[in-house]
Amino acid sequence: MTILKTNIIGLVAAAMIVSVPVSAKIPKLKANNIDEVIKAMTIEEKADLIVGARMYHQDENAAPHIKESWKVVPGAAGRVNPVPRVGIPCVVLSDGPAGCGILPVEGEENYFCTHFPIETLLSSTWDVDLVKNVGEVIGNEAKEYGVDVLLAPAVNIHRHPLCGRNFEYFSEDPLLTGKMAVAYVDGVQSNDIGTSVKHFAANNQETNRMNNNTIVSPRALREIYLKAFEMVVKESQPWTIMSSYNRINNVYASENPELITTLLRDEWGFKGAVMTDWWGGADGAAQMIAGNDMIEPGTKEQAAHIINGVKNGTLDEAIVDRNVRRILELIVKTPRFKGYKYANNPDMKAHAAITRQSATEGMVLLKNDNQALPLSSKDRNVALFGAVSYNFFSGGTGSGDINRPYVVSLLDGLKNQHIVVDDNIKAIYQAYNKPKEQGEQKRVEEMPMDTAIIKYAAQNNDMAIITFGRISGEYIDRVSSDFFLSETEQELVKNVTRIFHNENKKVVVVLNIGGVIETQSWKDMPDAILLSWQAGQEGGNSVADILTGHANPSGKLPMTFPVTLSDHWSSLNFPIDQKIDRRWSVKTGLTHDTKNVDYTVYEEGIYVGYRWFDTKDLQVSYPFGYGLSYTTFEYGRPSVKRDGEKVIIEVAIKNTGKVAGKEVVQLYVEAPPGKLDKPVHELKSFGKTKLLQPGESQMITLSVNPDDLASFDEETSAWVTDGGKYKFVVAASSRNPRGDVMVDVSPSTRKVNNVLNLPAAFKK
Ligand code: BGC
C-alpha cells in the first residue's frame, strides 16, 4: 500500500489534450453549460455516453480514448465513457456494499480494499449513526481509489431465507431497511461521491434472475418492496438508482416507465440518473424511453441500436437528450470532473479499526445460559471445533465480494486475546482445510470428528467453541440443505456438548453465516450461541472482543429465525432446490412455463417475515428484533406527546445489570380494524441507547407521523390512515412487549399514481 500508483487519469487527460484539436466553438463541459454541450454532441457521442465502456467485450474497434478509459481504475465494475471533444471525463462505477469492490486485474497495479461487515450485520446494529459512519469510511476509501459512484447500498427485502444475496440486503422489514439505506447513502455521499441504490425493484431471488417475472400486487410493492427506495430517495437523494434484472408484472424493471418515471421521478421526486444492472433488460430503446438513462456495462451493439433508432426515427432524439442531460448532471458532481487527485492510499489501518468495532455492534447473542459468556478468567484453554473457525468467512461471493488484504479467523482472534487454542484439534482442522484454503473462502462442508478426540479435548481444555459457517452469493439461491445443519454438523454439536457437559465444561456455538439457518432443533444443546454474521476482514477479532467481554453484544435480529423453512408463506412460491441454473444473459422472452423460475407469484402479499409469523402467532426459533446482552435493561412506562399530528413516544431505559451495554428499543403499532386487513403489528420506529453504565438511564424518543401508519388501498390507489385508537407498543423484540400506550389518530388519505398493476391473468 505504500507505493503510489501513477495517476492514470492525469495521463489520460494529458493524452486527450495532445491528440484532440481544440476548436473555439466546441464547448467544454462545465456545471452550467450542459444544454450547450448536448447541442454540440453528435448522436454517436451521446450513444457513447449512455452505453457504458464496453470493456467486457473488448471491442477492438473502439476509439482510442475509449480503450484508454478501460485502464482507469482497472477492476472497477463499470465506466461512463469519456467524450473528450466536449470535455467529458471517464467516470468510474465500483461495487459495494461491504466496502469498495475493485477486483484485482492481471498485469495492473492492484490495491486491497477494506472488507467491512455485510449489510445484514450492519442492520443488526439498528444504529443509524454507526451505519452512516461506516458509509462515510467506505465512501472515503472509494474516493481515494478514484471511484465516482459506489454501486451500493442494496435494499431488497429478505422475502425468503434462501435468496442467495440476502447477505447484501438489510432486513425483512422495510422501515429498518429504509433507515439503514438513508444512513448508508448519507455516509457515502458526504464524501461528494455518488451511490447507486439497487436493485430497483422486487429482485428477491437469484434463480433465473435476468428473466424472472415477479408477480406482485401494488400493495405489497408499495408497502414492502418499494418502501425503502421511497424513503432513501425522499430523504437522501442518492445520485443514482440501479434498476433490477427481473420483470415486475410482465415488464422488465429497466424498461418500465411506470416504475422509473411515474413513480420514482414524478411521484417521489428523484433527481438523479438511473442505470441498468449489468446487462439487464432486453430492449435498449425501451430502457431509454422508460427513463433508464445509463446502459451498463455496455456493448457496441447497444450503442448501435441507439444510433440507428434515432437515425430511422424509432427513437426520439429528445428522449436521448433528456437521458444525456441526467448523465451530465451526474458527471459534473463527480470528483473526477472536479479534478480530485486521489492517491490510492487510504488509511487502511484506521478503516480496519472501524470495521472491527462496527462488527461487534451487529453481532447477535442468541443464547447465554448461566452467563456462559463472556469467558471468565478460568476459560483460558479452548478446544476450537468447526472447519470455518480456522478459515472465517468475511462476506459473501459475487459482486459483493471485496479484494481484502486479509481475514482474521476465529483462531487468530482468540490468539490475539491470549486465549490458548488446543494445538491438536487445530492441526486436525488445518490439515482438513488445507487443500481448499489457498486464500479462498469456499469450504462449508464440515469434517466428521471422532468422539475419542472430542473426549481428549474435553479433558484437556476449559471449554469448547464450535463455528458453523455458510457462504452464498450472486447468481444462485441457497438450497434447503444449506439452511439445515448437515448430519456431520448435527453430530458435532451433539457429541461436543454431551462430552464437554459430562466434564462440566461449557460449549459456545458461533454462527459465521450470511443468511438465516435452522436453529430450533439444536439450540438447546450449547450453553451460548453467538450469531457473528460475516463480519468483514476483522471478523475473528470482533468475535473474540465479544467472547472475552471487551465488547458487549448489542445487535438484534433484522429478520425472523423460523422453526423451519416451510413456515414462511413465501416458501410456497420460491425456487427451493430448483435445479435450473440460468445465470447471465440468457434472455428467454416472457413465458409462464416454470413456476418460480420463469415467474414467481408473491402470493403472500404483505405477509413477509414477522408480519406473517406474528399475525399467525406461529412459533419461531428467534423472533424479529431479538438479541441478548451481557447486561439487563429495565423499560420505564412509555409516555406520549403530540407535535401537531406527529406522535412522540418517550421511554426511559435503565441498565440494571453489572456491565455497560446498549439496548435497541423498538416501537410496534397495532392498528384498529379498518377496510384493509393488516398485520397484527408493524415496526414504526426504533432507537438505540448510548453505552449505558450500570445504573445509568437514558430517555429514548420514538416518533411516528400519521402517514407512516398508512396502508395502501389498491381500490383507490391511495395511502390510507384509518382514524381511531392505535396501540403503540414499546418492545425489546417483536415478541417481547415492554409497555404500551393508546393513541388517537385522525384519518388521512394520500392519493398516488395507479401503476404497476397485476397482469390480468393474475388478478384475483
Ligand atoms: C449485480 C450488481 C452489481 C453489478 C456490477 C451485477 O451482477 O447484480 O449488484 O453492482 O453486477 O458488478
Side-chain angles (χ1 to χ4, degrees), residues 412-429:
D412 295 333
L414 291 172
K415 277 196 196 154
N416 292 342
Q417 311 252 356
H418 310 295
I419 289 174
V420 182
V421 172
D422 188 294
D423 273 336
N424 293 310
I425 305 291
K426 179 176 85 179
I428 294 170
Y429 278 109

PDB file of all heavy atoms in Angstrom, residues 412-429:
ATOM      1  N   ASP A 412      -7.193 -16.822  14.991  1.00  0.00           N
ATOM      2  CA  ASP A 412      -6.301 -15.670  15.196  1.00  0.00           C
ATOM      3  C   ASP A 412      -6.895 -14.682  16.191  1.00  0.00           C
ATOM      4  O   ASP A 412      -6.180 -14.110  17.008  1.00  0.00           O
ATOM      5  CB  ASP A 412      -6.048 -14.955  13.859  1.00  0.00           C
ATOM      6  CG  ASP A 412      -5.300 -15.850  12.892  1.00  0.00           C
ATOM      7  OD1 ASP A 412      -4.558 -16.731  13.369  1.00  0.00           O
ATOM      8  OD2 ASP A 412      -5.490 -15.686  11.667  1.00  0.00           O
ATOM      9  N   GLY A 413      -8.193 -14.484  16.098  1.00  0.00           N
ATOM     10  CA  GLY A 413      -8.861 -13.550  17.009  1.00  0.00           C
ATOM     11  C   GLY A 413      -8.677 -13.977  18.462  1.00  0.00           C
ATOM     12  O   GLY A 413      -8.375 -13.157  19.334  1.00  0.00           O
ATOM     13  N   LEU A 414      -8.838 -15.276  18.708  1.00  0.00           N
ATOM     14  CA  LEU A 414      -8.689 -15.776  20.085  1.00  0.00           C
ATOM     15  C   LEU A 414      -7.241 -15.638  20.538  1.00  0.00           C
ATOM     16  O   LEU A 414      -6.963 -15.204  21.659  1.00  0.00           O
ATOM     17  CB  LEU A 414      -9.137 -17.241  20.165  1.00  0.00           C
ATOM     18  CG  LEU A 414     -10.644 -17.469  19.979  1.00  0.00           C
ATOM     19  CD1 LEU A 414     -10.954 -18.959  19.887  1.00  0.00           C
ATOM     20  CD2 LEU A 414     -11.449 -16.836  21.120  1.00  0.00           C
ATOM     21  N   LYS A 415      -6.321 -16.006  19.641  1.00  0.00           N
ATOM     22  CA  LYS A 415      -4.892 -15.893  19.988  1.00  0.00           C
ATOM     23  C   LYS A 415      -4.536 -14.452  20.339  1.00  0.00           C
ATOM     24  O   LYS A 415      -3.791 -14.197  21.275  1.00  0.00           O
ATOM     25  CB  LYS A 415      -4.046 -16.327  18.795  1.00  0.00           C
ATOM     26  CG  LYS A 415      -3.838 -17.812  18.679  1.00  0.00           C
ATOM     27  CD  LYS A 415      -2.681 -17.982  17.718  1.00  0.00           C
ATOM     28  CE  LYS A 415      -2.520 -19.341  17.168  1.00  0.00           C
ATOM     29  NZ  LYS A 415      -1.845 -19.298  15.849  1.00  0.00           N
ATOM     30  N   ASN A 416      -5.093 -13.508  19.542  1.00  0.00           N
ATOM     31  CA  ASN A 416      -4.793 -12.088  19.799  1.00  0.00           C
ATOM     32  C   ASN A 416      -5.264 -11.653  21.174  1.00  0.00           C
ATOM     33  O   ASN A 416      -4.814 -10.632  21.691  1.00  0.00           O
ATOM     34  CB  ASN A 416      -5.441 -11.205  18.730  1.00  0.00           C
ATOM     35  CG  ASN A 416      -4.795 -11.415  17.371  1.00  0.00           C
ATOM     36  OD1 ASN A 416      -3.687 -11.952  17.290  1.00  0.00           O
ATOM     37  ND2 ASN A 416      -5.479 -11.009  16.299  1.00  0.00           N
ATOM     38  N   GLN A 417      -6.200 -12.399  21.739  1.00  0.00           N
ATOM     39  CA  GLN A 417      -6.683 -12.056  23.095  1.00  0.00           C
ATOM     40  C   GLN A 417      -6.092 -13.029  24.120  1.00  0.00           C
ATOM     41  O   GLN A 417      -6.667 -13.240  25.187  1.00  0.00           O
ATOM     42  CB  GLN A 417      -8.205 -12.118  23.145  1.00  0.00           C
ATOM     43  CG  GLN A 417      -8.872 -11.372  22.028  1.00  0.00           C
ATOM     44  CD  GLN A 417      -9.537 -10.089  22.469  1.00  0.00           C
ATOM     45  OE1 GLN A 417      -9.570  -9.766  23.640  1.00  0.00           O
ATOM     46  NE2 GLN A 417     -10.052  -9.347  21.519  1.00  0.00           N
ATOM     47  N   HIS A 418      -5.003 -13.649  23.752  1.00  0.00           N
ATOM     48  CA  HIS A 418      -4.248 -14.541  24.654  1.00  0.00           C
ATOM     49  C   HIS A 418      -5.060 -15.732  25.131  1.00  0.00           C
ATOM     50  O   HIS A 418      -4.887 -16.202  26.252  1.00  0.00           O
ATOM     51  CB  HIS A 418      -3.681 -13.757  25.843  1.00  0.00           C
ATOM     52  CG  HIS A 418      -2.946 -12.530  25.389  1.00  0.00           C
ATOM     53  ND1 HIS A 418      -1.793 -12.604  24.644  1.00  0.00           N
ATOM     54  CD2 HIS A 418      -3.241 -11.215  25.508  1.00  0.00           C
ATOM     55  CE1 HIS A 418      -1.392 -11.380  24.328  1.00  0.00           C
ATOM     56  NE2 HIS A 418      -2.262 -10.517  24.834  1.00  0.00           N
ATOM     57  N   ILE A 419      -5.954 -16.214  24.309  1.00  0.00           N
ATOM     58  CA  ILE A 419      -6.664 -17.443  24.641  1.00  0.00           C
ATOM     59  C   ILE A 419      -5.940 -18.583  23.935  1.00  0.00           C
ATOM     60  O   ILE A 419      -5.562 -18.456  22.761  1.00  0.00           O
ATOM     61  CB  ILE A 419      -8.141 -17.335  24.217  1.00  0.00           C
ATOM     62  CG1 ILE A 419      -8.810 -16.342  25.172  1.00  0.00           C
ATOM     63  CG2 ILE A 419      -8.838 -18.689  24.251  1.00  0.00           C
ATOM     64  CD1 ILE A 419     -10.195 -16.001  24.848  1.00  0.00           C
ATOM     65  N   VAL A 420      -5.720 -19.655  24.676  1.00  0.00           N
ATOM     66  CA  VAL A 420      -4.911 -20.742  24.130  1.00  0.00           C
ATOM     67  C   VAL A 420      -5.824 -21.737  23.417  1.00  0.00           C
ATOM     68  O   VAL A 420      -6.745 -22.283  24.012  1.00  0.00           O
ATOM     69  CB  VAL A 420      -4.133 -21.450  25.265  1.00  0.00           C
ATOM     70  CG1 VAL A 420      -3.259 -22.554  24.699  1.00  0.00           C
ATOM     71  CG2 VAL A 420      -3.320 -20.431  26.047  1.00  0.00           C
ATOM     72  N   VAL A 421      -5.567 -21.925  22.141  1.00  0.00           N
ATOM     73  CA  VAL A 421      -6.379 -22.851  21.345  1.00  0.00           C
ATOM     74  C   VAL A 421      -5.655 -24.199  21.279  1.00  0.00           C
ATOM     75  O   VAL A 421      -4.445 -24.244  21.018  1.00  0.00           O
ATOM     76  CB  VAL A 421      -6.620 -22.260  19.938  1.00  0.00           C
ATOM     77  CG1 VAL A 421      -7.284 -23.280  19.031  1.00  0.00           C
ATOM     78  CG2 VAL A 421      -7.470 -21.000  20.035  1.00  0.00           C
ATOM     79  N   ASP A 422      -6.388 -25.255  21.517  1.00  0.00           N
ATOM     80  CA  ASP A 422      -5.801 -26.604  21.529  1.00  0.00           C
ATOM     81  C   ASP A 422      -5.100 -26.909  20.200  1.00  0.00           C
ATOM     82  O   ASP A 422      -5.723 -26.911  19.140  1.00  0.00           O
ATOM     83  CB  ASP A 422      -6.914 -27.627  21.792  1.00  0.00           C
ATOM     84  CG  ASP A 422      -6.358 -29.023  22.012  1.00  0.00           C
ATOM     85  OD1 ASP A 422      -5.784 -29.595  21.041  1.00  0.00           O
ATOM     86  OD2 ASP A 422      -6.469 -29.521  23.130  1.00  0.00           O
ATOM     87  N   ASP A 423      -3.813 -27.206  20.297  1.00  0.00           N
ATOM     88  CA  ASP A 423      -2.989 -27.399  19.108  1.00  0.00           C
ATOM     89  C   ASP A 423      -3.342 -28.650  18.317  1.00  0.00           C
ATOM     90  O   ASP A 423      -3.243 -28.660  17.093  1.00  0.00           O
ATOM     91  CB  ASP A 423      -1.513 -27.505  19.528  1.00  0.00           C
ATOM     92  CG  ASP A 423      -0.883 -26.127  19.607  1.00  0.00           C
ATOM     93  OD1 ASP A 423      -1.388 -25.202  18.933  1.00  0.00           O
ATOM     94  OD2 ASP A 423       0.098 -25.968  20.364  1.00  0.00           O
ATOM     95  N   ASN A 424      -3.728 -29.693  19.041  1.00  0.00           N
ATOM     96  CA  ASN A 424      -4.019 -30.951  18.329  1.00  0.00           C
ATOM     97  C   ASN A 424      -5.276 -30.821  17.487  1.00  0.00           C
ATOM     98  O   ASN A 424      -5.316 -31.255  16.330  1.00  0.00           O
ATOM     99  CB  ASN A 424      -4.162 -32.103  19.327  1.00  0.00           C
ATOM    100  CG  ASN A 424      -2.835 -32.388  20.006  1.00  0.00           C
ATOM    101  OD1 ASN A 424      -1.810 -32.527  19.335  1.00  0.00           O
ATOM    102  ND2 ASN A 424      -2.840 -32.426  21.325  1.00  0.00           N
ATOM    103  N   ILE A 425      -6.291 -30.198  18.087  1.00  0.00           N
ATOM    104  CA  ILE A 425      -7.544 -30.004  17.330  1.00  0.00           C
ATOM    105  C   ILE A 425      -7.262 -29.069  16.148  1.00  0.00           C
ATOM    106  O   ILE A 425      -7.719 -29.310  15.022  1.00  0.00           O
ATOM    107  CB  ILE A 425      -8.635 -29.389  18.243  1.00  0.00           C
ATOM    108  CG1 ILE A 425      -8.845 -30.230  19.503  1.00  0.00           C
ATOM    109  CG2 ILE A 425      -9.949 -29.187  17.495  1.00  0.00           C
ATOM    110  CD1 ILE A 425      -9.463 -31.565  19.267  1.00  0.00           C
ATOM    111  N   LYS A 426      -6.488 -28.050  16.428  1.00  0.00           N
ATOM    112  CA  LYS A 426      -6.133 -27.101  15.363  1.00  0.00           C
ATOM    113  C   LYS A 426      -5.445 -27.825  14.200  1.00  0.00           C
ATOM    114  O   LYS A 426      -5.790 -27.611  13.033  1.00  0.00           O
ATOM    115  CB  LYS A 426      -5.195 -26.024  15.929  1.00  0.00           C
ATOM    116  CG  LYS A 426      -4.745 -25.010  14.902  1.00  0.00           C
ATOM    117  CD  LYS A 426      -3.899 -23.916  15.506  1.00  0.00           C
ATOM    118  CE  LYS A 426      -2.447 -24.352  15.574  1.00  0.00           C
ATOM    119  NZ  LYS A 426      -1.566 -23.323  16.138  1.00  0.00           N
ATOM    120  N   ALA A 427      -4.507 -28.692  14.527  1.00  0.00           N
ATOM    121  CA  ALA A 427      -3.747 -29.382  13.473  1.00  0.00           C
ATOM    122  C   ALA A 427      -4.693 -30.239  12.609  1.00  0.00           C
ATOM    123  O   ALA A 427      -4.543 -30.290  11.381  1.00  0.00           O
ATOM    124  CB  ALA A 427      -2.664 -30.254  14.103  1.00  0.00           C
ATOM    125  N   ILE A 428      -5.657 -30.873  13.256  1.00  0.00           N
ATOM    126  CA  ILE A 428      -6.591 -31.734  12.504  1.00  0.00           C
ATOM    127  C   ILE A 428      -7.392 -30.894  11.508  1.00  0.00           C
ATOM    128  O   ILE A 428      -7.513 -31.230  10.329  1.00  0.00           O
ATOM    129  CB  ILE A 428      -7.549 -32.466  13.490  1.00  0.00           C
ATOM    130  CG1 ILE A 428      -6.753 -33.443  14.352  1.00  0.00           C
ATOM    131  CG2 ILE A 428      -8.664 -33.183  12.734  1.00  0.00           C
ATOM    132  CD1 ILE A 428      -7.537 -34.031  15.520  1.00  0.00           C
ATOM    133  N   TYR A 429      -7.897 -29.766  11.973  1.00  0.00           N
ATOM    134  CA  TYR A 429      -8.714 -28.927  11.075  1.00  0.00           C
ATOM    135  C   TYR A 429      -7.860 -28.261   9.993  1.00  0.00           C
ATOM    136  O   TYR A 429      -8.294 -28.126   8.851  1.00  0.00           O
ATOM    137  CB  TYR A 429      -9.472 -27.862  11.875  1.00  0.00           C
ATOM    138  CG  TYR A 429     -10.744 -28.405  12.491  1.00  0.00           C
ATOM    139  CD1 TYR A 429     -10.851 -28.595  13.868  1.00  0.00           C
ATOM    140  CD2 TYR A 429     -11.835 -28.743  11.696  1.00  0.00           C
ATOM    141  CE1 TYR A 429     -12.014 -29.098  14.433  1.00  0.00           C
ATOM    142  CE2 TYR A 429     -12.999 -29.246  12.250  1.00  0.00           C
ATOM    143  CZ  TYR A 429     -13.095 -29.423  13.621  1.00  0.00           C
ATOM    144  OH  TYR A 429     -14.237 -29.916  14.159  1.00  0.00           O
TER     145      TYR A 429
END
